[in-house]
Amino acid sequence: MNDELGTGYEIPSGEEPSDFLDLRREVAGLLRAREGDLIEEIDRVLKVTVPGYGDLPAEVFEDVRQSFREFLNLSIEYYEADELAVTHIKSVANDIGRKRASQGMLLPAVFDGFDAAETHVWGKLTEALLPRGYFPYAWIELANMRDRFGKLVR
């Protein structure tokens, strides 16, 4: 069992660590506040950009939608937490992967859907938060967290 922490980051010495923590909190808050809108937007993005998603039966697509809600909630938890065990993240991702496999979805299509949704969400987050003037190191550390999360859910 791997209980390695999923939020490892380093703050440069002499920098204000609260800037990175504030950015993380703001990301989580924005995800929480816009969850419903983001899910609707993800629906459109998947149907237009990822082959096969537009052809999914309604009940399967509703389950996919629910999975993205789960991923958004896991993301919120990830960015808010001081520590979040890798086993928790992987457990949620594995459960979702098993659901998709049982519905006959191929792994590359699942990854393509995740990538399209993540790209869309991060576009919205950066559009909203870049003008707020966070230090560059905070954005770099946030990008490192995003990359780590993406690797953990694969």
Side-chain angles (χ1 to χ4, degrees):
M1 186 174 199
N2 181 356
D3 282 329
E4 173 187 348
L5 301 179
T7 60
Y9 57 86
E10 294 181 27
I11 302 296
S13 61
E15 297 281 356
E16 177 58 46
S18 67
D19 198 54
F20 172 54
L21 299 175
D22 290 346
L23 180 57
R24 284 176 50 195
R25 286 186 200 109
E26 199 158 3
V27 164
L30 191 58
L31 290 172
R32 182 177 287 108
R34 298 226 28 237
E35 179 182 356
D37 293 338
L38 288 170
I39 294 298
E40 288 180 20
E41 293 167 12
I42 288 168
D43 285 356
R44 288 190 296 275
V45 167
L46 292 177
K47 288 179 179 178
V48 171
T49 64
V50 182
Y53 273 81
D55 301 326
L56 291 174
E59 65 277 0
V60 173
F61 197 82
E62 179 55 39
D63 198 42
V64 168
R65 182 181 296 120
Q66 180 57 36
S67 294
F68 279 105
R69 280 188 194 99
E70 291 173 34
F71 272 129
L72 277 176
N73 288 322
L74 184 62
S75 295
I76 291 166
E77 193 177 343
Y78 179 73
Y79 291 108
E80 285 180 333
D82 290 331
E83 299 176 354
L84 189 61
V86 167
T87 51
H88 174 65
I89 297 168
K90 287 188 174 204
S91 173
V92 172
N94 287 338
D95 288 347
I96 291 170
R98 278 191 285 279
K99 285 182 202 173
R100 296 293 82 75
S102 72
Q103 294 164 329
M105 293 184 72
L106 299 176
L107 190 58
V110 174
F111 284 160
D112 289 347
F114 177 82
D115 291 343
E118 183 191 37
T119 298
H120 177 77
V121 168
W122 278 93
K124 294 296 183 180
L125 286 171
T126 55
E127 181 182 291
L129 298 178
L130 272 175
R132 306 243 176 138
Y134 287 102
F135 288 113
Y137 82 84
W139 284 103
I140 291 167
E141 292 303 326
L142 187 69
N144 289 337
M145 285 187 76
R146 174 191 175 188
D147 289 346
R148 179 138 169 89
F149 184 81
K151 289 174 184 172
L152 291 171
V153 299
R154 289 193 182 318

